[in-house]
Amino acid sequence: MSRIPPIKITPIKLIIPAMFALTLFPVFYKIEAQDLKLPQCQDEEIVNTVVDFFISESVWSAYGESKIKEMINSSIHTANLTLKNSCVPMRRQSGKLYQVDMTIQAFDPDLASYRNQLLRVTEPTIIKEITQKPNHYYALVVDDLPDDILGKTDVYLDPQFLILSDQAEKYTLEHELGHLANAWHDDTSWNSSLSKYLEEYTPDAHKNELHAYARGYNCAGRRTIMSQSSVYYLQLPIYSSPDIFFGDETCGDHEHADNARQLREYARRLKDKMKNNV
């Protein structure tokens, strides 16, 4: 096999808009914002996070810089709206944009294959600087994911790395970042799947980060951000929470669907990591 030569990466400053996880989303429609009833949030220190984006050359060529910025701006805006609505003391911020050669020899590359290729073609200090900061993430945008997969993460492979499809919707970025905070989908077999995941896949050091309440929810025929129910097409910019209502229907459950709590706890742990990382 011939060695793939590294490509020169050009950084561009811009405002930028699980567990193994696959994100599959249908088309989104406009929601009736006036029907969304949000709680009064407690005053807490906001944890700032940064997302750097690595755009494959084929995506860059197909869309161009202006369109890429537009799509990422929309994703970051939606992420921050979701966090604010859910009383999560965390904010997504602008990072850097890189153009990279993501030519992969594997026929059916998995998450690790994409990450390894990114590490091969990227100046080593770039990824190293990102991973040394617990509040930094790096997102790879590609155009060769299967049509129904819009995002991928694996918190145990790399808790700061995610992949987005060029077809990703504005909710996909925060959905994948939610997975990196151990937020789950609306799994009807939650009890058995959680037990299996804890037993077979979760390192001992991370078992206390998985909770039965950390899953998505559907309310009033709509989906919270971590829900992947194929029955509901309307998406709400919220994490599941028993304190949030759409109309008269609650959008969560204290015991089985409170991803907003999961994200708040994650934000607090992240804040402690940042203080210890100084």
Side-chain angles (χ1 to χ4, degrees):
M1 181 183 296
S2 60
R3 181 176 181 273
I4 302 173
I7 183 174
K8 182 179 180 181
I9 303 172
T10 305
I12 302 175
K13 293 256 187 174
L14 75 158
I15 300 176
I16 309 192
M19 125 195 38
F20 179 74
L22 300 179
T23 299
L24 304 92
F25 281 141
V27 177
F28 298 115
Y29 298 89
K30 185 177 180 180
I31 65 169
E32 304 88 340
Q34 68 272 16
D35 292 328
L36 192 58
K37 300 174 184 177
L38 305 172
Q40 181 68 38
C41 302
Q42 296 181 358
D43 290 332
E44 285 192 66
E45 180 183 353
I46 301 296
V47 179
N48 292 313
T49 61
V50 178
V51 184
D52 288 346
F53 287 84
F54 293 78
I55 313 297
S56 70
E57 287 187 320
S58 55
V59 172
W60 193 280
S61 297
Y63 292 88
E65 182 179 342
S66 177
K67 182 63 176 179
I68 290 170
K69 288 182 179 181
E70 179 184 332
M71 292 189 293
I72 297 176
N73 274 326
S74 176
S75 295
I76 288 291
H77 172 77
T78 302
N80 284 325
L81 178 63
T82 302
L83 294 170
K84 180 180 179 181
N85 287 345
S86 309
C87 293
V88 177
M90 189 159 52
R91 181 171 179 78
R92 309 303 181 191
Q93 286 190 322
S94 62
K96 295 179 181 178
L97 185 67
Y98 299 92
Q99 184 180 172
V100 292
D101 177 8
M102 287 305 297
T103 304
I104 298 179
Q105 300 299 319
F107 174 72
D108 185 21
D110 57 11
L111 192 73
S113 299
Y114 282 107
R115 181 175 175 271
N116 291 338
Q117 173 66 5
L118 180 61
L119 294 177
R120 280 195 292 268
V121 301
T122 305
E123 169 61 40
T125 57
I126 294 176
I127 303 298
K128 183 178 180 180
E129 288 178 2
I130 293 173
T131 55
Q132 286 179 337
K133 301 173 183 177
N135 62 324
H136 278 54
Y137 306 89
Y138 58 116
L140 172 64
V141 182
V142 297
D143 58 2
D144 57 353
L145 293 179
D147 292 340
D148 57 349
I149 296 178
L150 301 186
K152 285 186 176 185
T153 55
D154 184 346
V155 68
Y156 305 130
L157 172 68
D158 188 329
Q160 293 165 262
F161 175 64
L162 61 137
I163 294 180
L164 298 173
S165 165
D166 65 321
Q167 300 298 312
E169 298 285 351
K170 62 182 181 179
Y171 289 94
T172 310
L173 173 63
E174 185 58 35
H175 179 102
E176 297 306 325
L177 290 169
H179 278 309
L180 294 181
N182 279 300
W184 281 58
H185 297 153
D186 53 320
D187 188 350
T188 55
S189 59
W190 173 257
N191 291 331
S192 60
S193 63
L194 175 62
S195 176
K196 180 178 180 179
Y197 197 85
L198 281 168
E199 180 180 350
E200 298 184 10
Y201 304 111
T202 307
D204 290 339
H206 295 277
K207 290 185 186 298
N208 64 343
E209 297 173 5
L210 289 178
H211 304 287
Y213 54 78
R215 63 169 176 164
Y217 200 77
N218 305 301
C219 52
R222 292 155 177 84
R223 297 182 294 124
T224 60
I225 195 165
M226 298 306 296
S227 171
Q228 288 203 131
S229 175
S230 60
V231 177
Y232 305 112
Y233 289 87
L234 295 171
Q235 184 82 32
L236 297 172
I238 57 171
Y239 279 99
S240 60
S241 170
D243 300 321
I244 298 177
F245 291 78
F246 193 86
D248 296 326
E249 194 167 321
T250 184
C251 292
D253 176 88
H254 285 286
E255 294 184 4
H256 303 294
D258 196 352
N259 269 327
R261 175 184 173 186
Q262 178 74 13
L263 266 289
R264 285 193 291 272
E265 293 171 347
Y266 173 82
R268 293 161 188 156
R269 290 197 304 271
L270 187 58
K271 180 173 62 177
D272 292 339
K273 288 181 182 180
M274 291 167 61
K275 290 180 178 178
N276 295 330
N277 199 52
V278 175

